[in-house]
Amino acid sequence: MPLLRISAEAVEDSGAGGRRGGGGMDFESQSRVSESRSSKSYRTTLLLAYQSFGVVYGDLSISPIYVFKSTFSGRLRLHEEDAEILGVLSVVFWSLTLIALCKYIILVLGADDNGEGGTFALYSLMSRHSKIGLSSTSHAAHEHLTAYELETDREETRTSLRIKKFLEKNQTSRLLLLLFTLLGTSMVIGDGCLTPTISVVSAVSGLRIKLPGLHEGYTVLISCVILIGLFALQHYGTHRIGFLFSPILIAWLICISTIGIYNTIKWNPGVIRAISPHFIYQFFKKSGKDGWSSLGGLVLCVTGAEAMFADLGHFSKLSIRIAFTAVVYPCLVLAYMGEAAFLSKHRDDLQQSFFKALPDRVFWPVFVIATLATVVGSQAIISATFSIISQCRALGCFPRVKIIHTSSHIHGQIYIPEVNWLLMLLCLIVAIGFRDTTMIGNAYGLAVITVMLVTTCLMFLIITIVWKRSIFLALLFTLTFGSLELLYLSACAAKVGHGGWLPLVISLTILTAMFTWHYGTVKKREFELQNKVSLDRILSSSPSLGLVRVPGVGFVYSNIMNGVPPMFAHFVTNFPAFHRVLVFVCLQTLTVPKVPLHERFLITRIGQPEQGIFRCLVRYGYKDGGSDNFEFEKQLLLKLAEFLDQEGRNSSANGDKPSIAKRSESVSDALAGLAIVADGGKKVRFKLVEKTEELRQEVWELMEEREAGVSYMMGHTCVVAHESSPWIKKFTIDVIYGFLRRNSRSPAVSLGIPHSSLVQVGMVYHV
């Protein structure tokens, strides 16, 4: 066995302007270091901006293929005047400007949750600033965490206080807010099977321009092959896919903008007048109901804008803003202008206007790039789906799935195999079942605009509660963008019978699964809290039970922060023995993206020192992937050894057993068993070195028990509704929740616990 001891190593606190060994860093050296860091940061931002082309903007950039086709799929037609085409182009231009640029790039990206985006990130951000979240953990237990430090620059307004009090006191409003958030989340996941389908099918259908005799079945077959290849690439991760796809999308943007300029100059330079919003008024005045109905197709010009926010965790705000503002936005505007100029002179080519607008000499090269670009376009929503499901799973609103982190540098880049193959299956079903891109577009538009409307409504709460701004600014934001999105939503809702029902069915299914999983998880936790027992009661009955302590370290996993879980009491009653060192481990996911490693473990002692019983609260953020089991075990034992050593040092200094509050000048650090602040502004950290006489006996015993073996105890529970429960609760718990639990990954597998060291205790929970 290796000889170990805990020794203290003092490290001078490195504050601003700190010096080492009495030496100083001159101004020029500091300037060079600052310039080096700035240059590195600048290069990193540009690199992320380059990668974002292959992940974030594909969906938005391929919209010109099908926007005009979907817009004129109804009764709207072009007449001799240019009023209709100029009106349509004006709607596209201002939709891109207002929704994509002003709303998402300028405003919504600023509502990130420590670098993470998406519907659930907005919800977690609100939860951290008020008591409206779904997490049952108290804020007081975690307020000392770095991630929980809230901005205090602005004072609370009366409006924000009233809104917070209303939501905190009204349980129904909190429930509705959770359902509303889950609705937006489920719609994003539904987008994951619609975006790849419409993108690929629309591009492949361009073959029929040059090959009019090609049967529709062949285009569907080619689309399915491309879709299978797309999802087969996902396991390589966003980092590699971004480098692979970015050149394709950049080439695509160059193509469509160049062709847009060419068509505008050749066919109708006057379409540039559509920048004026006056043509929107003329368009609706002349087209009436047909113009309103066409909004169901026009909304597709902003599809992918929501993915820019959802994919924020993969990149950074600045990189996304640079790429969109400098490249994507102007290229899209030029592309739509060129296609509108072509249509103004070719009014019979409405259904394949994009491909027919291509000059003959560049048709095949552009077709190949377009097909590849549609594959890239699908990547944005697939990556966003992975990110959002990861957030939902961590916060207890999605069944346990396998999450693979594909990058050691950007933690938000993940891959979820189960979700990936399920999305592929749904895409193939939609492609084969619908075939018609018009019906797929109807479904797609309803899903996208619903997500945008949910984001707008949540932003109202962000502006008032989190940013603490005036309610008038919040209303201005909500009314400006909400009215526009409601107009789009009304047109999309009118097409529910023509394909719009599909996202509703998908999102309703996902919403039901997510809410049921959350409901079942809450009921399971409530049962454990109501049936927990005190450790003193178990120890006091040890003589009658014949309780014995066996060599080794035992980790007992539990969902409760205090008391003994019912499954452990059940185990001891039937098998009266447990390890000499016993640690009750409670894993909690907080409403923050990440918890630093040095703040992750919160260790306390239970009972007398000779009993060797501890409790460890392990805190993760919803974007933390967690380490493998071996690394987790090593970290936990090291933190426990640090805790014991510091406890012994304080006990020796004070002459008695210290309380938690006395173990450090920094109470929060002491609670976490982490870096201890000593006199002189120095931080003390601990490392394991060779054993000497200074090693405390209890720490040495911990290492000996570690060598004897480590076991993990978890509950293998069956959750059923109580016999007196109403039928709806029985159906929800026994049927839906039971089905989800049976078909999700077990907690032991998710945590990577070795099967040979696992002890599972079976119990039935009547909730």
Side-chain angles (χ1 to χ4, degrees):
M1 185 179 79
L3 297 179
L4 304 171
R5 79 172 175 89
I6 302 292
S7 69
E9 177 186 346
V11 179
E12 194 168 341
D13 201 13
S14 57
R19 299 173 180 269
R20 293 180 177 270
M25 180 181 290
D26 59 23
F27 179 78
E28 292 182 2
S29 299
Q30 291 182 0
S31 178
R32 285 196 297 269
V33 170
S34 177
E35 290 177 2
S36 176
R37 290 177 180 175
S38 177
S39 176
K40 184 177 179 181
S41 175
Y42 181 73
R43 288 196 301 269
T44 301
T45 300
L46 290 181
L47 181 62
L48 287 175
Y50 170 76
Q51 291 181 7
S52 69
F53 284 106
V55 177
V56 177
Y57 301 107
D59 187 10
L60 194 63
S61 299
I62 60 173
S63 298
I65 295 178
Y66 47 76
V67 166
F68 283 112
K69 177 181 178 181
S70 299
T71 301
F72 293 101
S73 61
R75 291 184 295 179
L76 183 66
R77 290 293 179 267
L78 297 178
H79 298 89
E80 291 299 324
E81 304 86 8
D82 290 339
E84 288 83 1
I85 193 60
L86 291 177
V88 167
L89 179 59
S90 187
V91 171
V92 169
F93 172 79
W94 285 105
S95 296
L96 277 173
T97 303
L98 291 176
I99 295 179
L101 180 62
C102 296
K103 177 186 172 182
Y104 278 96
I105 291 296
I106 297 177
L107 297 173
V108 175
L109 281 185
D112 65 302
D113 185 15
N114 290 343
E116 302 298 331
T119 309
F120 233 89
L122 294 176
Y123 184 78
S124 69
L125 188 61
M126 287 187 293
S127 301
R128 207 161 61 253
H129 283 74
S130 58
K131 299 176 182 178
I132 64 176
L134 55 90
S135 176
S136 62
T137 61
S138 63
H139 284 221
H142 310 294
E143 285 179 348
H144 63 277
L145 291 175
T146 304
Y148 266 74
E149 293 179 357
L150 306 179
E151 295 181 3
T152 56
D153 297 342
R154 299 184 63 87
E155 295 182 357
E156 291 272 9
T157 63
R158 286 185 297 176
T159 304
S160 66
L161 287 172
R162 289 174 182 173
I163 295 174
K164 285 172 64 173
K165 287 181 180 179
F166 173 77
L167 291 173
E168 290 171 359
K169 293 180 179 179
N170 194 319
Q171 186 176 1
T172 303
S173 64
R174 295 200 304 271
L175 178 63
L176 291 176
L177 181 61
L178 173 61
L179 283 172
F180 193 63
T181 304
L182 293 179
L183 171 64
T185 304
S186 62
M187 281 291 186
V188 173
I189 299 173
D191 280 355
C193 65
L194 294 173
T195 302
T197 308
I198 189 173
S199 302
V200 174
V201 172
S202 297
V204 175
S205 63
L207 279 173
R208 304 178 73 179
I209 300 295
K210 295 295 183 181
L211 304 172
L214 185 66
H215 193 272
E216 184 184 33
Y218 288 107
T219 61
V220 174
L221 177 62
I222 296 172
S223 300
C224 291
V225 171
I226 295 174
L227 288 170
I228 293 172
L230 167 65
F231 286 98
L233 287 172
Q234 294 304 313
H235 73 278
Y236 289 108
T238 308
H239 176 73
R240 295 181 180 89
I241 292 174
F243 269 107
L244 175 65
F245 284 176
S246 293
I248 297 173
L249 196 81
I250 291 173
W252 166 253
L253 289 171
I254 293 173
C255 283
I256 61 174
S257 58
T258 304
I259 294 171
I261 295 172
Y262 169 80
N263 283 330
T264 301
I265 296 173
K266 180 178 180 180
W267 299 112
N268 189 357
V271 295
I272 198 173
R273 294 176 296 158
I275 293 176
S276 170
H278 171 74
F279 289 96
I280 298 178
Y281 170 76
Q282 293 294 332
F283 169 68
F284 286 111
K285 180 180 179 181
K286 187 171 183 178
S287 59
K289 185 178 179 181
D290 293 339
W292 166 79
S293 180
S294 69
L295 291 176
L298 283 168
V299 72
L300 299 180
C301 71
V302 291
T303 55
E306 77 287 354
M308 290 191 294
F309 183 50
D311 281 329
L312 181 58
H314 295 253
F315 302 99
S316 66
K317 288 185 287 188
L318 182 58
S319 63
I320 290 177
R321 283 169 169 161
I322 289 174
F324 180 83
T325 308
V327 181
V328 177
Y329 176 72
C331 287
L332 286 177
V333 171
L334 292 173
Y336 283 116
M337 281 187 176
E339 193 171 349
F342 175 83
L343 280 176
S344 66
K345 304 300 180 183
H346 303 81
R347 293 178 172 81
D348 297 329
D349 296 331
L350 295 176
Q351 293 307 303
Q352 291 290 349
S353 59
F354 177 82
F355 288 105
K356 289 185 177 180
L358 299 178
D360 290 338
R361 281 180 284 183
V362 299
F363 178 87
W364 288 110
V366 173
F367 172 79
V368 172
I369 296 175
T371 305
L372 294 174
T374 57
V375 175
V376 180
S378 307
Q379 186 60 44
I381 199 65
I382 294 173
S383 299
T385 302
F386 290 161
S387 296
I388 288 177
I389 288 180
S390 174
Q391 295 173 17
C392 295
R393 183 202 63 85
L395 293 172
C397 288
F398 201 87
R400 290 179 294 271
V401 291
K402 183 178 182 180
I403 296 179
I404 300 173
H405 290 262
T406 59
S407 173
S408 58
H409 304 290
I410 307 297
H411 200 78
Q413 296 183 359
I414 58 175
Y415 167 66
I416 306 177
E418 297 99 321
V419 175
N420 183 66
W421 302 122
L422 181 59
L423 285 177
M424 186 192 74
L425 181 62
L426 290 174
C427 284
L428 295 178
I429 292 173
V430 173
I432 296 172
F434 276 75
R435 295 176 179 244
D436 183 14
T437 55
T438 299
M439 293 188 69
I440 300 175
N442 293 339
Y444 187 27
L446 182 60
V448 168
I449 202 62
T450 303
V451 175
M452 292 182 175
L453 188 59
V454 169
T455 301
T456 298
C457 295
L458 292 179
M459 280 297 296
F460 175 84
L461 296 176
I462 293 292
I463 294 171
T464 53
I465 295 177
V466 179
W467 292 350
K468 302 173 186 177
R469 300 288 181 177
S470 167
I471 191 173
F472 297 107
L473 291 176
L475 286 174
L476 178 64
F477 175 91
T478 307
L479 293 176
T480 301
F481 298 109
S483 58
L484 178 59
E485 290 159 358
L486 280 173
L487 184 62
Y488 275 125
L489 181 64
S490 64
C492 293
K495 299 183 179 182
V496 168
H498 302 280
W501 56 270
L502 181 62
L504 296 178
V505 172
I506 295 175
S507 63
L508 182 61
T509 303
I510 297 172
L511 176 62
T512 302
M514 293 171 67
F515 187 75
T516 302
W517 184 265
H518 171 65
Y519 176 76
T521 303
V522 169
K523 289 298 178 184
K524 179 173 175 287
R525 188 181 297 116
E526 288 177 355
F527 179 89
E528 292 177 341
L529 288 171
Q530 293 168 2
N531 293 274
K532 66 181 181 181
V533 296
S534 66
L535 186 64
D536 293 338
R537 179 181 172 185
I538 294 177
L539 296 176
S540 62
S541 60
S542 58
S544 60
L545 292 174
L547 191 65
V548 296
R549 305 294 291 271
V550 298
V553 179
F555 292 142
V556 181
Y557 283 84
S558 166
N559 290 322
I560 57 178
M561 295 174 59
N562 51 65
V564 176
M567 75 80 182
F568 182 75
H570 179 64
F571 172 80
V572 172
T573 304
N574 292 275
F575 191 80
F578 56 86
H579 296 84
R580 289 174 185 165
V581 176
L582 189 68
V583 183
F584 290 97
V585 181
C586 179
L587 304 179
Q588 285 193 344
T589 302
L590 310 181
T591 53
V592 295
K594 300 178 184 67
V595 175
L597 181 61
H598 67 276
E599 296 182 337
R600 184 163 296 166
F601 296 89
L602 177 64
I603 299 176
T604 54
R605 184 190 290 278
I606 304 176
Q608 299 302 315
E610 60 270 13
Q611 294 172 341
I613 303 176
F614 308 89
R615 185 182 308 282
C616 180
L617 176 61
V618 186
R619 300 165 295 189
Y620 290 102
Y622 59 78
K623 297 293 285 187
D624 283 324
S627 55
D628 60 73
N629 184 70
F630 177 77
E631 185 67 22
F632 173 80
E633 176 188 313
K634 184 176 72 173
Q635 291 172 358
L636 198 157
L637 288 174
L638 179 59
K639 295 300 180 183
L640 182 57
E642 293 177 5
F643 173 85
L644 292 172
D645 183 78
Q646 183 63 23
E647 186 182 58
R649 292 174 187 275
N650 286 333
S651 179
S652 300
N654 299 332
D656 57 357
K657 180 184 174 182
S659 64
I660 291 177
K662 291 180 181 178
R663 282 203 293 270
S664 169
E665 293 178 10
S666 174
V667 177
S668 61
D669 281 348
L671 283 173
L674 306 169
I676 311 300
V677 180
D679 293 336
K682 296 182 178 181
K683 289 188 176 179
V684 181
R685 64 172 182 262
F686 301 93
K687 65 179 182 179
L688 293 175
V689 294
E690 292 184 0
K691 182 187 177 185
T692 68
E693 296 177 356
E694 298 176 6
L695 178 63
R696 286 198 69 225
Q697 180 65 26
E698 197 171 8
V699 178
W700 175 245
E701 291 174 355
L702 171 65
M703 297 307 163
E704 287 184 325
E705 299 300 342
R706 164 67 184 85
E707 292 300 316
V710 177
S711 296
Y712 302 84
M713 183 180 296
M714 306 187 74
H716 186 69
T717 56
C718 178
V719 182
V720 296
H722 198 273
E723 292 182 357
S724 60
S725 302
W727 70 269
I728 186 66
K729 182 178 179 180
K730 290 182 179 179
F731 179 78
T732 302
I733 296 294
D734 298 346
V735 179
I736 304 178
Y737 184 66
F739 173 81
L740 293 174
R741 276 177 61 89
R742 288 191 299 271
N743 290 277
S744 64
R745 297 171 68 86
S746 67
V749 173
S750 297
L751 295 171
I753 295 175
H755 194 70
S756 57
S757 304
L758 178 63
V759 178
Q760 289 187 306
V761 182
M763 278 196 72
V764 178
Y765 287 3
H766 294 277
V767 299

